[in-house]
Amino acid sequence: MLIPAFLALLSAPLLPPVTLPPLTSPELQSHVFAVEQALEKGDFVKANTLAATLPRRAPQILWDERKVPAAQREEFRSARDNALQTWKRLAKVGGVFSPTGKDLKISFEPELAPDLDLEGPAPVVAFISQTAPRVESVIGLQRGTPLLPATPIDVFNGVLYSLGSYYGLARNQVTATAMTLGPNGTSTPHGISNIEASAARQLMAAFDNLRLAVKNKQRMRAGKATAFVDPAQFRGEVVQGDDIEMPVQITNTGNAPLSFAVEGDCGCIVTEPPGTIPANSSQIVQVKLDTKEFLKVTERRIRVFTNDMSQPVRIIPVMLDVTPRFRFISPGGSTFEMGEKAAEFDVYLSIADGVDAEVVQAGLSGVTGKVVGEKWSGDVTDPDTKKTVPVKKGYKFHITIPGPLPSARSMVGLNIATNLAASPNLSFPLTIQRGIVALPEELYVGELGKAPKVSHVTVVRAGAPLKVKSVSIDAKSMTVKLVPQVKSTEQRIEVIYDGTAPSGDLSATITIVLDDPRQPEIKVPVVGSVK
Amino acid sequence: MKWWAAAVGAVGVAGALTPTPPAAWFLVVAGDTDGYLSPCGCTAPMTGGIRRRATAIRDLHKRAQVAYIETGGLGGTPGRQAQMKAETAAQAAAGLGVAAINLTERDAALGMGTLSAVADLSGGRLLSTAVEPNVVPGVVRYREEGPFLFGGAVSEPGGLSNKLGAPVTPPEEAAQTLVAEAKRRKKVAVLMLSGDRTAAEGVAKAVPGLGVVVYRASGDPDRKGLKVGETFLVTPGERGKYMIQLSLVNGRLGAYSPIKLGPEYADDPATDRIYRTYLRRVEAARLLEKLPRAPSAEFAGAATCGSCHAKAMAVWKKSAHSHALTTLEKLGHGRDPDCVECHVTGLQWQRGFQSRVTTPQFAYVGCESCHGAGKAHALNPAMSPMPKVGSQACASCHLPDQSPNFRFSTYWPRVSH
């Protein structure tokens, strides 16, 4: 009776190996592989024994704080509970602290051995076995270089990592996630990343399936996934605003399903959703990079997470030299000084090769003026580098601002409308300065206290000498005085706070009396606060 | 003995656990803020900001002696708001005891008046080794803090020279000067270079004796430290989202660690006070009203669109787009041009959002934020069809900084219409 049943069992089709999510730890994969092997052989007793120590959603945790100084125990427990709550909230997994906990043990030691990836002692180590306690985690009470005592934040990070290790997650290479170790000696709070939370949830579901197969004595094929990821890096020159396509080919050279998730290190990288690749198959994952916000040398990273136990996280560096799509060049600089008459100057717009753009409108904001634009190519001198810039394709804008403007500094925008949907508006900021001006226009003195503090205002007139007849301020706690003049076109004024103002916002006005009948005085508002 | 005990160092328990006064130093490199004083806060988890940076630095002060430096580039794109940002960043850094702030061409673009104010607010910490003393009042050549001597340079001296109207020495020359001075003072030379990695490598190779060269880079900083010979090359990455920490123990630099300034760091109350003053100044200066606006077609407002597109309207009303400006106002950023652009309809256009009072019909992210001005379409739908828009329309606001978790595939279903 038993033999035919056993033969029937052997001849039944094998279940496929379980699909583990990206970022599953190698140790857990080995454990699962061992269960699968036992099922494949029909050794259900062994499979049952091994499956008994697979991670559960609510493990029994032994918290051994005997080596923690008594004064710190309460705050460490609080950090521990926060970490557990964080896992519960984000991944629907948790745990129960118990003096007889046998699934996970968390203890402390004064100092752990150096971590190969960090310069200094490991902050936490997790040891995984197939016997109880399945995971033993040790948190270092001193860590980093220099060696510093662990803080509650360090303990929070250590417990996050310990729990993640129990659930079956691998160490992560991304900064400040639950499964990241380090930074070294810095008490930085970590958080559970989306991929980590998702992996923990998927692992629990996978273990449920595996336990069910063991319970039902279903035979299963054992398998391991292995990933080959191509390319190793992306390099290139692009024009700003282009969408760059960077296909990543992931090949599963193993004999179990390979699960993957691809993500960029910023929202500018758009990838396809996570997926699974059958054994001996490949998939191309489309990765797009939006370069609108980039300029010059740009470095980004694509991260490929898999359930390949030899390398669960791979980083593909992206190195781009981004040429601006449009570039304004103003040979006269960005600040223009006006006399009594109109100001006239030219601004050039260079359009990168391969960008098919036309200017459809040009105008000024902040001031009344006229802009005449024409298509133009030639050489312009960059005022910053003093180098000649060849404009192969572009426009020349002749700007006329009629005088007289009020004596002041005016922020002016040269606004260009183009026919490109991706860049419909371009704006080049210019400053028009006429007459005598005080800089800064508003004096921010910052936060003041009981100590005296000195600030400065500079009065300037471009191209002509100026003379300040007197200066005064309407605040009891402040005095003003003229600094001996070095340049005839410039006068510095010292603003001295004496430390006596009452707490609260501070507001005053400096009055500068000039010897120019067209501009007899300038008023400069003063703002700040007193602690 | 438990089998894990082999991995545990043999350190005495009681003695090792007693906190001792910190003898070592942390060198903390922050900066390249580029005007990004704070995440708008409208989505999570945004990274960076001067308030979180302050909390992180204060935490480090509790653990060891800290020399904290800022790489410059405080204000961002030149303009009135950039001036306010640079002043605020300098004041916040001074409040944290910053050791040095590098003078870069981006700072110089704010003008000599602002630069002088920034130097005052920094408490005399603004420096440049490449510029002669007194070119900019208040700017010094070196700054010393603990075992470090800090200097600053730019990889392209022409830009800084043009803006200051004074000669600027090449970075190698500035580095040599710094190294000689550090040797004389028996300090570790740290050069802040406004330049990319290639430039930093060039300086480190050309000038032996530098302990650290700080450079600029887009993206996040490297997870592991880079070295050229004995010189560390470090960057805090873009827009102040990370800081870099190095340790100096027994005269040896090491233990490179990037610190991500995520939401786990609470806002530092003292820096928050300074930041709130900045927001009040932005509002008082009415910068929102003074933004340059380009000529545009006439907008209709979402209510007009909804009169025909009822189904789309229903989806929109339930979306975060319909109350986007309110979200921002609750966070205190409702008058900040940096944030408002992505929370209203048509801020950059002459006929778009002006203010909540004068244009309440555009005080949200409406249909026309993605589809473009639609008054002509509303008047004559057949003659003026609205364009179909794709994921590009989302990408103008859902940028890495503002919307770090944005994925078109998961976000689009929430507003699909």
Side-chain angles (χ1 to χ4, degrees):
Chain A
M1 283 290 281
L2 280 174
I3 291 169
F6 182 68
L7 288 174
L9 196 65
L10 285 179
S11 61
L14 267 62
L15 291 174
V18 293
T19 303
L20 296 171
L23 212 63
T24 304
S25 70
E27 295 86 353
L28 206 280
Q29 292 199 47
S30 294
H31 191 153
V32 169
F33 186 67
V35 178
E36 289 173 341
Q37 277 183 317
L39 288 175
E40 190 173 76
K41 289 176 187 163
D43 186 348
F44 299 113
V45 175
K46 186 178 180 186
N48 194 45
T49 307
L50 290 168
T53 52
L54 284 171
R56 296 179 183 280
R57 285 182 176 81
Q60 296 278 317
I61 308 166
L62 173 61
W63 176 256
D64 181 353
E65 60 184 7
R66 285 175 295 171
K67 291 183 180 173
V68 177
Q72 287 182 289
R73 287 181 187 172
E74 193 173 330
E75 58 184 9
F76 279 14
R77 268 181 241 142
S78 174
R80 169 199 79 178
D81 294 343
N82 280 342
L84 188 61
Q85 284 305 319
T86 307
W87 272 114
K88 273 185 185 166
R89 187 164 44 84
L90 296 175
K92 311 292 180 217
V93 287
V96 179
F97 288 99
S98 149
T100 56
K102 58 183 188 328
D103 297 320
L104 168 63
K105 178 184 174 186
I106 301 174
S107 60
F108 295 82
E109 287 293 334
E111 185 185 334
L112 304 182
D115 183 284
L116 292 177
D117 202 38
L118 302 169
E119 287 179 57
V124 56
V125 285
F127 302 99
I128 297 162
S129 68
Q130 292 173 12
T131 55
R134 204 182 62 76
V135 176
E136 282 202 59
S137 178
V138 188
I139 296 174
L141 287 167
Q142 295 201 105
R143 67 266 306 288
T145 309
L147 207 56
L148 293 167
T151 67
I153 290 174
D154 293 324
V155 173
F156 171 84
N157 293 342
V159 176
L160 271 190
Y161 182 86
S162 304
L163 287 163
S165 299
Y166 171 79
Y167 303 136
L169 301 185
R171 184 169 171 174
N172 204 340
Q173 303 295 317
V174 180
T175 306
T177 73
M179 299 309 293
T180 313
L181 289 189
N184 202 342
T186 304
S187 205
T188 309
H190 292 182
I192 299 169
S193 70
N194 290 342
I195 284 187
E196 289 168 347
S198 169
R201 281 193 296 265
Q202 289 178 56
L203 279 168
M204 293 307 143
F207 301 146
D208 287 346
N209 290 339
L210 200 54
R211 275 189 281 263
L212 190 65
V214 172
K215 186 183 168 191
N216 294 340
K217 297 186 176 175
Q218 288 176 289
R219 292 185 61 223
M220 182 179 276
R221 191 161 51 77
K224 288 180 184 174
T226 315
F228 176 77
V229 178
D230 185 60
Q233 59 170 272
F234 287 100
R235 273 180 184 273
E237 293 178 8
V238 299
V239 174
Q240 187 185 28
D242 285 354
D243 271 345
I244 308 300
E245 294 197 352
M246 299 177 293
V248 175
Q249 180 169 313
I250 305 173
T251 304
N252 182 2
T253 54
N255 61 353
L258 176 79
S259 52
F260 67 87
V262 180
E263 65 169 36
D265 64 351
C266 72
C268 54
I269 295 177
V270 178
T271 63
E272 291 184 88
T276 306
I277 303 170
N280 299 312
S281 301
S282 286
Q283 183 169 331
I284 291 177
V285 180
Q286 290 298 343
V287 180
K288 274 189 187 176
L289 172 69
D290 177 2
T291 61
K292 187 164 44 194
E293 288 291 300
F294 301 151
L295 203 53
K296 297 186 178 175
V297 177
T298 295
E299 295 178 26
R300 293 288 177 190
R301 297 174 186 90
I302 298 169
R303 302 180 188 119
V304 181
F305 299 87
T306 66
N307 60 335
D308 178 340
M309 68 169 79
S310 66
Q311 206 180 344
V313 186
R314 291 162 210 241
I315 308 285
I316 304 176
V318 179
M319 283 165 279
L320 298 173
D321 194 351
V322 186
T323 307
R325 181 174 277 200
F326 300 101
R327 186 177 171 209
F328 283 103
I329 304 159
S330 173
S334 59
T335 300
F336 295 91
E337 288 141 2
M338 285 186 73
E340 293 303 311
K341 296 176 186 172
E344 294 193 36
F345 50 91
D346 295 327
V347 173
Y348 298 84
L349 175 70
S350 173
I351 301 173
D353 284 343
V355 177
D356 188 18
E358 299 282 334
V359 170
V360 295
Q361 201 168 14
L364 293 174
S365 59
V367 69
T368 306
K370 189 175 159 192
V371 181
V372 177
E374 60 175 325
K375 283 193 175 177
W376 190 87
S377 62
D379 292 340
V380 193
T381 303
D382 185 324
D384 284 348
T385 61
K386 310 280 186 207
K387 288 176 187 164
T388 300
V389 180
V391 178
K392 290 183 192 166
K393 187 173 71 173
Y395 285 82
K396 175 183 175 183
F397 299 101
H398 186 71
I399 298 165
T400 308
I401 299 174
L405 285 177
S407 293
R409 274 193 138 206
S410 309
M411 304 303 294
V412 175
L414 168 61
N415 301 317
I416 310 292
T418 77
N419 63 342
L420 281 189
S423 320
N425 293 314
L426 310 173
S427 188
F428 182 58
L430 299 160
T431 304
I432 306 293
Q433 185 173 311
R434 184 184 173 276
I436 302 168
V437 295
L439 300 171
E441 298 160 65
E442 175 187 72
L443 178 63
Y444 171 58
V445 291
E447 279 212 330
L448 304 171
K450 298 294 171 200
K453 187 173 183 179
V454 176
S455 308
H456 294 87
V457 172
T458 308
V459 186
V460 293
R461 172 157 61 188
L466 68 90
K467 186 166 172 34
V468 174
K469 287 164 75 175
S470 66
V471 61
S472 59
I473 187 166
D474 61 355
K476 282 183 185 170
S477 59
M478 296 179 124
T479 52
V480 284
K481 69 175 187 185
L482 299 177
V483 175
Q485 207 164 353
V486 178
K487 293 182 194 169
S488 63
T489 56
E490 194 175 296
Q491 172 67 63
R492 266 167 67 84
I493 296 167
E494 203 167 89
V495 183
I496 305 141
Y497 166 70
D498 64 8
T500 63
S503 299
D505 287 343
L506 184 142
S507 172
T509 303
I510 300 170
T511 302
I512 303 161
V513 180
L514 305 161
D515 72 345
D516 189 328
R518 291 166 301 180
Q519 202 178 346
E521 69 174 29
I522 298 175
K523 292 205 181 277
V524 180
V526 179
V527 294
S529 58
V530 183
K531 282 191 279 189
Chain B
M1 192 172 73
K2 279 281 186 183
W3 47 272
W4 49 257
V8 177
V11 177
V13 176
L17 295 180
T18 308
T20 49
W25 281 80
F26 285 152
L27 171 64
V28 178
V29 181
D32 272 327
T33 307
D34 205 20
Y36 189 64
L37 297 187
S38 170
C40 294
C42 46
T43 61
M46 293 161 99
T47 309
I50 58 172
R51 293 174 291 180
R52 290 175 181 168
R53 183 187 306 169
T55 300
I57 289 169
R58 288 192 207 282
D59 282 353
L60 290 171
H61 269 289
K62 293 174 195 163
R63 298 169 70 75
Q65 298 175 92
V66 173
Y68 144 57
I69 56 173
E70 284 273 340
T71 59
L74 301 174
T77 308
R80 185 77 191 94
Q81 192 169 4
Q83 292 170 355
M84 291 181 185
K85 286 175 174 177
E87 290 165 356
T88 304
Q91 171 65 69
L96 290 168
V98 68
I101 303 173
N102 191 26
L103 166 61
T104 71
E105 58 277 37
R106 292 168 292 157
D107 303 298
L110 298 172
M112 290 290 258
T114 301
L115 215 46
S116 173
V118 166
D120 285 341
L121 287 163
S122 73
R125 265 53 169 195
L126 191 61
L127 65 73
S128 177
T129 315
V131 177
E132 286 297 314
N134 300 322
V135 167
V136 183
V139 172
V140 297
R141 298 200 84 184
Y142 314 104
R143 279 278 309 156
E144 190 178 311
E145 179 89 37
F148 303 105
L149 184 71
F150 300 105
V154 291
S155 64
E156 292 179 8
L160 184 59
S161 173
N162 179 45
K163 288 175 178 73
L164 296 179
V168 174
T169 54
E172 292 80 6
E173 199 178 318
Q176 274 162 356
T177 312
L178 174 68
V179 168
E181 187 64 21
K183 201 169 176 183
R184 194 180 68 77
R185 299 192 197 189
K186 297 188 171 62
K187 301 287 178 186
V188 177
V190 178
L191 180 73
M192 290 185 279
L193 178 69
S194 181
D196 62 20
R197 183 188 296 180
T198 309
E201 284 171 350
V203 172
K205 281 176 190 162
V207 187
L210 287 163
V212 182
V213 178
V214 181
Y215 65 96
R216 294 183 62 199
S218 65
D220 299 341
D222 286 299
R223 205 176 63 82
K224 294 213 163 201
L226 301 173
K227 282 184 102 173
V228 170
E230 290 302 304
T231 306
F232 268 96
L233 302 187
V234 305
T235 175
E238 66 184 13
R239 309 195 82 187
K241 295 183 211 167
Y242 284 79
M243 302 191 309
I244 301 300
Q245 176 199 311
L246 287 167
S247 301
L248 185 75
V249 182
N250 300 326
R252 188 176 167 271
L253 271 169
Y256 166 97
S257 296
I259 302 171
K260 186 179 184 181
L261 298 172
E264 297 82 8
Y265 284 102
D267 289 344
D268 171 60
T271 309
D272 184 57
R273 224 171 31 232
I274 294 166
Y275 181 69
R276 296 281 157 198
T277 303
Y278 156 76
L279 289 179
R280 283 199 296 276
R281 291 178 70 203
V282 168
E283 181 169 0
R286 301 174 66 82
L287 296 183
L288 195 57
E289 284 80 354
K290 292 176 184 168
L291 278 180
R293 289 176 162 86
S296 69
E298 205 163 341
F299 288 80
T304 307
C305 307
S307 62
C308 293
H309 303 280
K311 198 175 158 192
M313 187 70 176
V315 173
W316 174 76
K317 274 188 173 170
K318 285 181 190 165
S319 74
H321 289 158
S322 69
H323 50 270
L325 185 58
T326 309
T327 304
L328 200 59
E329 285 166 344
K330 282 180 184 166
L331 294 161
H333 289 124
R335 304 285 299 161
D336 183 347
D338 279 357
C339 300
V340 172
E341 184 171 354
C342 281
H343 288 256
V344 298
T345 305
L347 182 69
Q348 56 181 323
W349 304 103
Q350 283 173 357
R351 296 185 182 189
F353 177 83
Q354 306 288 322
S355 75
R356 214 182 233 297
V357 177
T358 58
T359 53
Q361 71 275 29
F362 306 137
Y364 41 65
V365 175
C367 316
E368 293 159 293
S369 296
C370 301
H371 292 274
K375 186 70 176 279
H377 171 73
L379 293 172
N380 193 338
M383 291 296 288
S384 305
M386 292 296 279
K388 291 264 183 198
V389 291
S391 58
Q392 277 290 343
C394 311
S396 64
C397 280
H398 288 279
L399 294 165
D401 289 337
Q402 287 93 316
S403 193
N405 282 339
F406 176 75
R407 298 284 179 277
F408 182 75
S409 56
T410 54
Y411 274 51
W412 170 246
R414 300 184 202 175
V415 294
S416 171
H417 53 275

